[in-house]
mmCIF file of all heavy atoms in Angstrom:
data_model
loop_
_atom_site.group_PDB
_atom_site.id
_atom_site.type_symbol
_atom_site.label_atom_id
_atom_site.label_comp_id
_atom_site.label_asym_id
_atom_site.label_seq_id
_atom_site.Cartn_x
_atom_site.Cartn_y
_atom_site.Cartn_z
ATOM 1 N N LEU F 309 6.755 24.431 16.525
ATOM 2 C CA LEU F 309 6.580 24.964 15.173
ATOM 3 C C LEU F 309 5.602 24.131 14.346
ATOM 4 O O LEU F 309 4.882 24.670 13.498
ATOM 5 C CB LEU F 309 7.939 25.005 14.460
ATOM 6 C CG LEU F 309 8.928 26.067 14.943
ATOM 7 C CD1 LEU F 309 10.319 25.796 14.388
ATOM 8 C CD2 LEU F 309 8.466 27.463 14.522
ATOM 9 N N GLU F 324 -3.404 14.460 0.193
ATOM 10 C CA GLU F 324 -3.561 13.932 1.551
ATOM 11 C C GLU F 324 -4.826 13.098 1.662
ATOM 12 O O GLU F 324 -4.808 11.999 2.249
ATOM 13 C CB GLU F 324 -3.612 15.064 2.571
ATOM 14 C CG GLU F 324 -3.833 14.522 3.985
ATOM 15 C CD GLU F 324 -3.947 15.583 5.060
ATOM 16 O OE1 GLU F 324 -4.811 16.477 4.935
ATOM 17 O OE2 GLU F 324 -3.176 15.507 6.027
ATOM 18 N N VAL F 348 -10.331 2.206 -7.726
ATOM 19 C CA VAL F 348 -9.250 2.535 -8.660
ATOM 20 C C VAL F 348 -7.901 2.163 -8.035
ATOM 21 O O VAL F 348 -7.579 2.616 -6.937
ATOM 22 C CB VAL F 348 -9.264 4.043 -8.994
ATOM 23 C CG1 VAL F 348 -8.132 4.381 -9.965
ATOM 24 C CG2 VAL F 348 -10.615 4.429 -9.573
ATOM 25 N N ALA F 439 18.708 10.097 7.199
ATOM 26 C CA ALA F 439 19.423 9.013 7.868
ATOM 27 C C ALA F 439 20.441 8.368 6.940
ATOM 28 O O ALA F 439 21.594 8.118 7.327
ATOM 29 C CB ALA F 439 18.428 7.967 8.381
ATOM 30 N N VAL F 447 30.566 7.421 6.866
ATOM 31 C CA VAL F 447 31.475 6.445 6.240
ATOM 32 C C VAL F 447 32.479 7.163 5.335
ATOM 33 O O VAL F 447 33.683 6.891 5.385
ATOM 34 C CB VAL F 447 30.666 5.403 5.445
ATOM 35 C CG1 VAL F 447 31.603 4.462 4.682
ATOM 36 C CG2 VAL F 447 29.757 4.608 6.383
ATOM 37 N N ARG F 451 34.960 8.319 9.554
ATOM 38 C CA ARG F 451 34.651 8.248 10.984
ATOM 39 C C ARG F 451 34.097 6.893 11.399
ATOM 40 O O ARG F 451 34.044 6.589 12.588
ATOM 41 C CB ARG F 451 33.658 9.329 11.372
ATOM 42 C CG ARG F 451 34.266 10.725 11.434
ATOM 43 C CD ARG F 451 33.349 11.648 12.195
ATOM 44 N NE ARG F 451 34.014 12.894 12.527
ATOM 45 C CZ ARG F 451 33.564 13.758 13.415
ATOM 46 N NH1 ARG F 451 32.459 13.498 14.085
ATOM 47 N NH2 ARG F 451 34.215 14.867 13.663
ATOM 48 N N LYS F 472 8.966 5.996 -1.340
ATOM 49 C CA LYS F 472 8.762 6.723 -2.599
ATOM 50 C C LYS F 472 9.663 6.182 -3.698
ATOM 51 O O LYS F 472 10.231 6.940 -4.497
ATOM 52 C CB LYS F 472 8.982 8.219 -2.394
ATOM 53 C CG LYS F 472 8.164 9.076 -3.377
ATOM 54 C CD LYS F 472 8.084 10.514 -2.921
ATOM 55 C CE LYS F 472 7.171 11.311 -3.869
ATOM 56 N NZ LYS F 472 7.032 12.717 -3.450
ATOM 57 N N ILE F 520 3.584 -7.097 -5.048
ATOM 58 C CA ILE F 520 2.715 -6.234 -5.847
ATOM 59 C C ILE F 520 2.828 -6.571 -7.331
ATOM 60 O O ILE F 520 1.853 -6.474 -8.080
ATOM 61 C CB ILE F 520 3.041 -4.739 -5.603
ATOM 62 C CG1 ILE F 520 1.947 -3.843 -6.195
ATOM 63 C CG2 ILE F 520 4.389 -4.353 -6.172
ATOM 64 C CD1 ILE F 520 0.607 -3.989 -5.542
ATOM 65 N N ARG F 530 4.200 -0.944 -14.629
ATOM 66 C CA ARG F 530 3.888 -0.244 -15.876
ATOM 67 C C ARG F 530 3.346 1.153 -15.590
ATOM 68 O O ARG F 530 3.687 2.112 -16.289
ATOM 69 C CB ARG F 530 2.869 -1.051 -16.689
ATOM 70 C CG ARG F 530 3.456 -2.277 -17.384
ATOM 71 C CD ARG F 530 2.458 -2.870 -18.359
ATOM 72 N NE ARG F 530 1.348 -3.511 -17.664
ATOM 73 C CZ ARG F 530 1.336 -4.776 -17.269
ATOM 74 N NH1 ARG F 530 2.399 -5.547 -17.485
ATOM 75 N NH2 ARG F 530 0.297 -5.298 -16.641
ATOM 76 N N GLY F 550 7.135 23.968 -14.990
ATOM 77 C CA GLY F 550 7.844 25.193 -14.678
ATOM 78 C C GLY F 550 9.155 25.239 -15.426
ATOM 79 O O GLY F 550 9.678 24.206 -15.846
ATOM 80 N N ILE F 552 13.301 25.964 -16.117
ATOM 81 C CA ILE F 552 14.535 25.726 -15.369
ATOM 82 C C ILE F 552 14.787 26.939 -14.476
ATOM 83 O O ILE F 552 14.700 28.080 -14.905
ATOM 84 C CB ILE F 552 15.711 25.494 -16.334
ATOM 85 C CG1 ILE F 552 15.496 24.196 -17.118
ATOM 86 C CG2 ILE F 552 17.035 25.443 -15.575
ATOM 87 C CD1 ILE F 552 16.546 23.949 -18.174
ATOM 88 N N HIS F 555 12.809 25.746 -9.043
ATOM 89 C CA HIS F 555 13.092 25.404 -7.650
ATOM 90 C C HIS F 555 13.977 26.461 -6.981
ATOM 91 O O HIS F 555 13.851 26.697 -5.770
ATOM 92 C CB HIS F 555 13.751 24.030 -7.567
ATOM 93 C CG HIS F 555 12.836 22.898 -7.920
ATOM 94 N ND1 HIS F 555 11.749 22.557 -7.147
ATOM 95 C CD2 HIS F 555 12.834 22.034 -8.971
ATOM 96 C CE1 HIS F 555 11.123 21.529 -7.709
ATOM 97 N NE2 HIS F 555 11.756 21.200 -8.798
ATOM 98 N N ALA F 560 13.112 30.636 -2.104
ATOM 99 C CA ALA F 560 12.877 31.788 -1.221
ATOM 100 C C ALA F 560 11.700 31.537 -0.288
ATOM 101 O O ALA F 560 11.689 32.001 0.860
ATOM 102 C CB ALA F 560 12.630 33.041 -2.051
ATOM 103 N N ALA F 662 -6.487 36.598 4.377
ATOM 104 C CA ALA F 662 -7.457 35.562 4.025
ATOM 105 C C ALA F 662 -8.734 35.705 4.845
ATOM 106 O O ALA F 662 -9.847 35.529 4.321
ATOM 107 C CB ALA F 662 -6.835 34.183 4.237
ATOM 108 N N VAL F 705 13.321 31.943 13.440
ATOM 109 C CA VAL F 705 12.485 30.901 14.031
ATOM 110 C C VAL F 705 11.228 31.523 14.643
ATOM 111 O O VAL F 705 10.121 30.985 14.508
ATOM 112 C CB VAL F 705 13.279 30.103 15.087
ATOM 113 C CG1 VAL F 705 12.360 29.164 15.856
ATOM 114 C CG2 VAL F 705 14.400 29.312 14.429
ATOM 115 N N ALA F 707 9.818 34.303 13.644
ATOM 116 C CA ALA F 707 8.986 34.693 12.505
ATOM 117 C C ALA F 707 8.241 33.495 11.937
ATOM 118 O O ALA F 707 7.048 33.582 11.605
ATOM 119 C CB ALA F 707 9.852 35.346 11.427
ATOM 120 N N LEU F 720 -6.619 29.204 8.557
ATOM 121 C CA LEU F 720 -7.124 28.166 7.652
ATOM 122 C C LEU F 720 -8.211 27.287 8.259
ATOM 123 O O LEU F 720 -9.230 27.026 7.592
ATOM 124 C CB LEU F 720 -5.961 27.309 7.145
ATOM 125 C CG LEU F 720 -5.046 27.975 6.109
ATOM 126 C CD1 LEU F 720 -3.913 27.056 5.704
ATOM 127 C CD2 LEU F 720 -5.846 28.392 4.870
ATOM 128 N N PRO F 741 -31.267 11.409 9.431
ATOM 129 C CA PRO F 741 -30.905 11.135 10.833
ATOM 130 C C PRO F 741 -31.131 9.691 11.254
ATOM 131 O O PRO F 741 -30.484 9.219 12.189
ATOM 132 C CB PRO F 741 -31.805 12.097 11.620
ATOM 133 C CG PRO F 741 -32.948 12.394 10.701
ATOM 134 C CD PRO F 741 -32.374 12.372 9.327
ATOM 135 N N PRO F 784 -31.968 0.699 -4.596
ATOM 136 C CA PRO F 784 -32.617 0.382 -3.325
ATOM 137 C C PRO F 784 -31.857 0.988 -2.149
ATOM 138 O O PRO F 784 -30.633 1.100 -2.178
ATOM 139 C CB PRO F 784 -32.569 -1.149 -3.275
ATOM 140 C CG PRO F 784 -32.410 -1.579 -4.696
ATOM 141 C CD PRO F 784 -31.601 -0.505 -5.361
ATOM 142 N N ALA F 806 -38.315 11.349 -14.523
ATOM 143 C CA ALA F 806 -38.496 10.307 -15.527
ATOM 144 C C ALA F 806 -38.389 8.919 -14.913
ATOM 145 O O ALA F 806 -39.024 7.963 -15.385
ATOM 146 C CB ALA F 806 -37.456 10.475 -16.640
ATOM 147 N N LEU F 811 -38.085 13.483 -4.897
ATOM 148 C CA LEU F 811 -36.959 14.005 -4.122
ATOM 149 C C LEU F 811 -37.366 15.300 -3.433
ATOM 150 O O LEU F 811 -38.275 16.006 -3.884
ATOM 151 C CB LEU F 811 -35.752 14.260 -5.022
ATOM 152 C CG LEU F 811 -35.186 13.065 -5.782
ATOM 153 C CD1 LEU F 811 -34.122 13.526 -6.770
ATOM 154 C CD2 LEU F 811 -34.613 12.033 -4.815
ATOM 155 N N ALA F 836 -38.087 11.469 -0.844
ATOM 156 C CA ALA F 836 -39.162 12.065 -0.055
ATOM 157 C C ALA F 836 -39.708 11.091 0.977
ATOM 158 O O ALA F 836 -40.241 11.515 2.012
ATOM 159 C CB ALA F 836 -40.293 12.546 -0.964
ATOM 160 N N PRO F 845 -21.728 -1.073 5.176
ATOM 161 C CA PRO F 845 -20.663 -0.746 6.131
ATOM 162 C C PRO F 845 -19.856 0.445 5.682
ATOM 163 O O PRO F 845 -19.818 0.748 4.512
ATOM 164 C CB PRO F 845 -19.809 -2.014 6.147
ATOM 165 C CG PRO F 845 -20.075 -2.666 4.829
ATOM 166 C CD PRO F 845 -21.485 -2.330 4.475
#
Side-chain angles (χ1 to χ4, degrees):
L309 288 167
E324 178 182 56
V348 180
V447 175
R451 286 196 168 195
K472 208 164 184 179
I520 192 65
R530 285 190 289 272
I552 294 175
H555 291 293
V705 171
L720 287 179
L811 300 172

